[in-house]
Amino acid sequence: MPHGAHRKSSLVATAVAAVGVVYGDIGTSPLYTLKEVFNGPHAVAVTPTNVYGILSLVFWALVLVVSAKYVIFITRADNRGEGGIMALTSLALRVLPAGRRAWVLSTLGVFGAALFYGDGMITPAISVLSAVEGLEVATPALRHWVVPISLVVLIGLFLMQQRGTGSVGAIFGPVMLCWFAVLAGLGVNGILLHPEILGALNPLWAVRFFVEQPLLGWLGLGAVVLAITGGEALYADMGHFGRRPIKYAWFSVVFPALYLNYLGQGALILDHPDNVRNPFYLLVPEPLLYPMVAMATLATIIASQAVISGAFSLTRQAIQLGYAPRMQTVHTSEREIGQIYVPGINWMLLGAVIALVVGFHSSSALASAYGIAVTLTMMIDTVLAGVVVLYLWKWGRARTFLFLLVFLTVDVAFFSATTVKILAGGWFPLLVGAAIFILLTTWKRGRELLNDRIRADTMPLDGFIQSLFHNPPPRVEGTAVFMTTWLEGVPRALLHNLIHNKVLHERVVLLTVETADVPYVPENQRITLDELDYGFYRLKVKYGFKDDPDIPAALASCAEQGMRFEMMATSFFLGRETLVSRIGSGMPSWREKLFILMFRNAGSAADYFRIPPNRVVELGTQVEL
């Protein structure tokens, strides 16, 4: 095969895979978007002008927010190939000097990441409910079975997480490709009822809708926004597929299929206003309703899987960047580095999803809670991207101002329209986001205070080594590795070992792990090893925020620098601090207590860094915050 043909086939294959993972959320939005526009709490009256106006708004929302902002602009702001709000935050902070502006941007980025968890709870619930609700259209008597069936599907999905998605991930792309083909086919079939519906692409219909009914037009944006939820996911998943396949998949498959389906639903509503009760399923020929419910349910499971996997990945990044305590992380694939399972997050999401389904009962009720977290995240993305285009891309103030003016105007319009949903359920993702934001920032601040306290009470390493020459302790065979956060001081575990056991190993390695503001650190840049006096060594291991920490593997790579580690002759000494609160710690009392609680329940460092348990010695110490 010629090289050019091979590259093209590879691009197509990657684009198909991207269709399955990246566009699952936005790809299932036709199930409920127009239904909520014309039936929601601020229902738009079914008139030809309104139908054309709404369809025009949907089209231009997809063009401006998804196509222009994310696919064309923001995907260019990759952090060494990686996307997502944490990667974008790191990129923005890299070009800003430390100070108040950097602190504000960092806070915005962390809050945007926290909001993702609220969105990750609502997406599976509303998607699966809206798919299963097709049973009501096929047989109204099955209405009471919608919630139980949805719960069974969702519980099964979350139980499957511990097995990993590798075995079924290969079918995601083809299934979603089939889903988008069906969306397009149904849309074309509906358009044939009223071909003039194609005129909705004209932006003047949207303008007319706003001019004639400004208040209703603004309120209607709160439902129209459902058409673009999931648009930010394409940036978060960029590291898995690359910019080109995501762009190719959007413009060649996803966007045309989505909008054709919206046009088909609009034509169906024009044909008979009663069809607004569920225009998606009423667009399906009656004999195909049950197969369509099954296919829609499968599509929503795939969409939910992408969100759940995203929550696992974001949690790992937060741990690496120092915003979350260590948690049990299971690698579900020996071949795919990114496939992980975080049990604590999985069960938290499942509990919230069950509560949402039982509490809200229908996708229409859940739609009142959906959108506000997404639009707020999109606003934060725009602000962070504005910093990147100004300082990194050197666009200049005029072009940057134009960029922010266009996209922030759209973002603010959608966000302001969703604020009316707060009392109807929009409080839920905001409450979840605020709670997780408090946890993330409390852990970050608490770790900083703890490290400062430990450093203040730590003996300087150079002086300690010099003192050993005057009063040398007995040396024993083997290597002792002491993990520490500060290589210039003596780890407490080392002092305790020397005081209690009165010996030193023949080789003493002080090891610290750092996380860089890049996704991955190349193997040849991971290790920094310095030899000191008296058999002491400083070892710095650096990881990116998407790398998987593996200390034994890092030690094995030290052989290239002339230092070999025999694992059975190496002992790892870890400090086990017990925190004691005190007045004037630098945090409010309630936050200090929260940090201490999080610290006590943090996962084992040995497990997190993959250190063999039989080589670990933990030495306890008490530290005042």
Side-chain angles (χ1 to χ4, degrees):
M1 181 185 293
H3 183 64
H6 177 74
R7 287 184 61 187
K8 186 174 181 180
S9 64
S10 177
L11 174 63
V12 171
T14 309
V16 170
V19 166
V21 176
V22 176
Y23 295 110
D25 190 358
I26 197 171
T28 54
S29 57
L31 285 165
Y32 45 79
T33 299
L34 291 190
K35 183 176 75 170
E36 296 312 312
V37 169
F38 295 105
N39 292 282
H42 305 288
V44 175
V46 181
T47 66
T49 300
N50 289 350
V51 171
Y52 276 85
I54 290 296
L55 289 174
S56 184
L57 281 174
V58 169
F59 177 76
W60 289 103
L62 291 170
V63 168
L64 289 172
V65 177
V66 184
S67 301
K69 189 174 88 172
Y70 280 103
V71 176
I72 294 176
F73 284 106
I74 291 188
T75 53
R76 290 177 57 201
D78 66 290
N79 191 338
R80 300 195 184 182
E82 288 294 326
I85 194 163
M86 296 295 275
L88 185 60
T89 302
S90 296
L91 196 63
L93 292 175
R94 196 182 302 162
V95 295
L96 271 186
R100 185 168 183 82
R101 285 189 299 173
W103 178 84
V104 170
L105 285 180
S106 176
T107 303
L108 281 176
V110 174
F111 186 56
L115 288 171
F116 179 86
Y117 290 94
D119 182 43
M121 295 169 181
I122 296 178
T123 296
I126 191 173
S127 299
V128 173
L129 269 174
S130 61
V132 178
E133 282 169 354
L135 293 173
E136 297 180 25
V137 177
T139 307
L142 294 175
R143 176 176 300 171
H144 299 296
W145 286 94
V146 169
V147 169
I149 291 174
S150 298
L151 287 174
V152 169
V153 170
L154 288 164
I155 291 172
L157 172 64
F158 282 94
L159 289 176
M160 184 184 74
Q161 298 306 310
Q162 57 191 320
R163 298 178 178 271
T165 59
S167 58
V168 294
I171 69 169
F172 284 7
V175 168
M176 291 306 293
L177 201 61
C178 183
W179 168 255
F180 284 113
V182 170
L183 287 184
L186 291 174
V188 170
N189 192 46
I191 290 169
L192 294 176
L193 296 171
H194 290 278
E196 66 275 10
I197 199 71
L198 293 169
L201 276 72
N202 189 337
L204 292 178
W205 283 110
V207 173
R208 178 179 175 183
F209 178 62
F210 267 103
V211 169
E212 293 181 356
Q213 304 171 92
L215 180 59
L216 186 61
W218 175 68
L219 292 172
L221 288 177
V224 170
V225 75
L226 298 174
I228 59 174
T229 54
E232 77 286 359
L234 64 90
Y235 177 56
D237 286 314
M238 188 172 63
H240 295 110
F241 303 100
R243 182 171 183 259
R244 283 191 68 208
I246 286 177
K247 183 178 177 181
Y248 184 81
W250 172 253
F251 286 110
S252 64
V253 177
V254 181
F255 188 13
L258 284 177
Y259 197 63
L260 282 172
N261 193 265
Y262 284 124
L263 287 173
Q265 291 185 44
L268 189 74
I269 293 170
L270 285 180
D271 193 58
H272 202 292
D274 287 346
N275 290 327
V276 294
R277 60 192 175 95
N278 200 322
F280 177 83
Y281 277 113
L282 291 172
L283 198 58
V284 180
E286 192 170 340
L288 300 178
L289 267 175
Y290 287 108
M292 193 64 206
V293 170
M295 187 176 189
T297 302
L298 184 57
T300 55
I301 288 173
I302 293 173
S304 302
Q305 177 60 58
V307 173
I308 296 167
S309 298
F312 294 160
S313 179
L314 184 61
T315 300
R316 180 178 65 174
Q317 292 179 35
I319 294 171
Q320 287 282 71
L321 292 169
Y323 284 100
R326 290 182 297 269
M327 299 181 193
Q328 182 187 1
T329 302
V330 180
H331 293 263
T332 58
S333 172
E334 294 181 358
R335 292 175 298 174
E336 299 293 332
I337 191 170
Q339 291 190 14
I340 59 172
Y341 165 62
V342 185
I345 298 299
N346 189 64
W347 304 130
M348 178 191 76
L349 291 176
L350 175 58
V353 167
I354 291 174
L356 286 168
V357 172
V358 172
F360 285 85
H361 282 289
S362 70
S363 62
S364 294
L366 263 175
S368 297
Y370 202 31
I372 189 164
V374 175
T375 53
L376 196 50
T377 302
M378 288 180 172
M379 284 176 61
I380 294 171
D381 281 344
T382 302
V383 172
L384 294 171
V387 174
V388 172
V389 300
L390 177 61
Y391 292 101
L392 190 63
W393 296 353
K394 309 295 184 183
W395 273 22
R397 295 187 179 276
R399 290 179 66 192
T400 302
F401 175 77
L402 185 62
F403 173 88
L404 292 173
L405 178 66
V406 172
F407 294 122
L408 271 183
T409 298
V410 176
D411 291 339
V412 169
F414 278 118
F415 173 70
S416 63
T418 59
T419 55
V420 299
K421 298 180 176 184
I422 291 177
L423 294 180
W427 55 268
F428 179 83
L430 292 179
L431 182 64
V432 169
I436 292 177
F437 175 76
I438 289 172
L439 291 175
L440 295 177
T441 53
T442 296
W443 181 259
K444 183 75 169 179
R445 179 60 179 155
R447 287 298 307 183
E448 290 172 352
L449 291 173
L450 178 59
N451 289 338
D452 289 345
R453 174 63 58 182
I454 290 175
R455 289 186 183 187
D457 297 338
T458 297
M459 181 185 302
L461 179 62
D462 292 339
F464 173 75
I465 293 176
Q466 293 304 315
S467 70
L468 296 176
F469 285 101
H470 302 292
N471 188 19
R475 307 298 289 259
V476 296
E477 293 182 358
T479 301
V481 177
F482 294 88
M483 298 196 68
T484 179
T485 58
W486 189 40
L487 289 176
E488 301 301 322
V490 183
R492 291 191 176 204
L494 193 158
L495 289 176
H496 281 291
N497 181 56
L498 184 58
I499 291 169
H500 292 289
N501 296 321
K502 304 195 178 354
V503 295
L504 274 180
H505 286 71
E506 60 184 354
R507 288 197 309 183
V508 178
V509 179
L510 306 187
L511 186 153
T512 189
V513 177
E514 290 186 357
T515 301
D517 66 344
V518 295
Y520 301 101
V521 171
E523 291 289 340
N524 60 359
Q525 299 175 20
R526 178 152 293 159
I527 301 296
T528 304
L529 180 64
D530 296 317
E531 184 174 359
L532 308 175
D533 290 334
Y534 211 73
F536 277 70
Y537 297 83
R538 282 197 188 103
L539 177 60
K540 184 186 296 183
V541 183
K542 186 179 291 187
Y543 292 104
F545 56 76
K546 295 198 76 173
D547 278 320
D548 293 315
D550 188 333
I551 293 303
L555 296 184
S557 67
C558 289
E560 298 175 5
Q561 299 190 29
M563 186 171 184
R564 294 185 178 276
F565 286 85
E566 293 293 337
M567 199 53 61
M568 295 308 296
T570 302
S571 299
F572 294 85
F573 290 83
L574 307 181
R576 190 67 163 175
E577 294 91 356
T578 300
L579 302 188
V580 179
S581 62
R582 69 181 182 90
I583 298 174
S585 66
M587 282 198 299
S589 176
W590 66 269
R591 233 175 157 188
E592 184 182 276
K593 290 184 173 68
L594 176 60
F595 174 70
I596 292 174
L597 179 64
M598 294 171 71
F599 192 87
R600 287 174 183 166
N601 290 279
S604 163
D607 291 341
Y608 184 73
F609 291 114
R610 302 192 189 184
I611 302 172
N614 62 341
R615 307 310 307 162
V616 174
V617 178
E618 288 194 348
L619 298 172
T621 184
Q622 199 172 75
V623 181
E624 282 190 347
L625 271 180

